[in-house]
Amino acid sequence: QSALTQSASVSGSPGQSITISCTGTSSDVGRYKFVSWYQQHPGKAPQLIIYEVSNRPSGVSTRFSGSKSGNTASLTISGLQAEDEADYYCSSYTSNSTVTFGGGTKLTVL
Amino acid sequence: QVQLQESGPGLVKPSESLSLTCSVSGGSIISTSHYWGWIRQPPGKGLEWIGSIDYRGTSSYIPSLMSRVTISVDTSKNRFSLSLTSVTAADTAMYYCARQRIAVAGPFDRWGQGTLVTVSS
């Protein structure tokens, strides 16, 4: 079971928008709507910010949005704020009835 | 508001077994709308799903650990547990329990704070 591919790091200035990509295969991201995104601050547990590709749980800022095209899912954060600095992980359901995570992307707010 | 709390030894010797429990409060583990999962994170590394179970005991595991892992559920105590046998240093990680919405395909919408397990003699 291979992890989904994410860029190791991304950065942006306050107020800007950034996009984090998550590339899988036709057996996971490309096959199912069950793609989620998690935000993890240092020393904290991950927090769900996007589920089923583009849905936001109650309480999550509208600055977070998700999409998918083919085997690649994307998380966009608009109007970057200092508090957005964290690690971001994607996950997907797979054709083996398992869950796989991406390697994580570290977001730095300049 | 459902809360999850991991408990168990923080230090395990190589070749021995790791056992952790996740206690669920603020809601019942008996739910047709949820699965209950374990995820781990080695120091400085990414997340790895270990497996998930529903209240009836239907479980699913990551293939790479399937020969060593068992997840069980105790509905009378509103908790579920992880057992990992023959541990090595590679099993050193922060272990999180989490609630999974709907099924194994669903998102993890509630997480415990995590418990660090170190494998060392």
Side-chain angles (χ1 to χ4, degrees):
Chain A
Q1 176 167 320
S2 300
L4 307 176
T5 300
Q6 297 181 235
S7 52
S9 63
V10 66
S11 62
S13 299
Q16 288 186 331
S17 295
I18 63 96
T19 297
I20 299 171
S21 63
C22 169
T23 301
T25 69
S26 58
S27 296
D28 40 61
V29 174
R31 186 166 183 170
Y32 301 103
K33 68 176 183 178
F34 301 112
V35 176
S36 300
W37 289 91
Y38 301 87
Q39 177 191 61
Q40 185 179 34
H41 286 109
K44 300 294 186 181
Q47 177 187 353
L48 177 69
I49 56 173
I50 294 288
Y51 67 97
E52 292 180 7
V53 176
S54 59
N55 294 295
R56 275 186 310 277
S58 175
V60 172
S61 172
T62 56
R63 298 185 299 104
F64 293 92
S65 61
S67 62
K68 188 181 82 165
S69 178
N71 296 337
T72 298
S74 298
L75 171 71
T76 297
I77 309 173
S78 59
L80 268 181
Q81 299 180 1
E83 66 202 49
D84 299 332
E85 187 162 292
D87 294 327
Y88 292 85
Y89 293 91
C90 61
S91 76
S92 176
Y93 184 63
T94 81
S95 59
N96 294 324
S97 301
T98 61
V99 175
T100 188
F101 282 94
T105 298
K106 181 177 181 61
L107 168 61
T108 300
V109 180
L110 303 171
Chain B
Q1 182 98 328
V2 170
Q3 292 186 317
L4 296 89
Q5 177 69 58
E6 305 88 349
S7 60
L11 180 65
V12 181
K13 289 182 168 57
S15 80
E16 295 188 346
S17 293
L18 175 164
S19 294
L20 298 174
T21 295
C22 182
S23 299
V24 180
S25 59
S28 177
I29 203 169
I30 299 176
S31 168
T32 56
S33 300
H34 298 98
Y35 265 61
W36 307 89
W38 288 97
I39 301 100
R40 69 181 182 179
Q41 184 173 34
K45 296 188 178 180
L47 301 170
E48 179 180 52
W49 174 76
I50 299 171
S52 298
I53 194 168
D54 73 357
Y55 77 94
R56 297 163 296 183
T58 302
S59 58
S60 182
Y61 303 119
I62 187 172
S64 60
L65 294 177
M66 199 172 295
S67 63
R68 297 196 292 130
V69 68
T70 301
I71 297 176
S72 58
V73 63
D74 186 341
T75 56
S76 67
K77 295 182 178 179
N78 220 38
R79 68 188 191 190
F80 61 106
S81 300
L82 170 71
S83 175
L84 184 65
T85 62
S86 304
V87 299
T88 69
D91 295 310
T92 293
M94 183 72 79
Y95 284 77
Y96 295 100
C97 63
R99 186 181 74 173
Q100 195 167 15
R101 190 183 300 174
I102 300 175
V104 178
F108 294 99
D109 65 349
R110 290 282 189 273
W111 294 66
Q113 64 185 26
T115 187
L116 179 63
V117 177
T118 301
V119 178
S120 175
S121 55

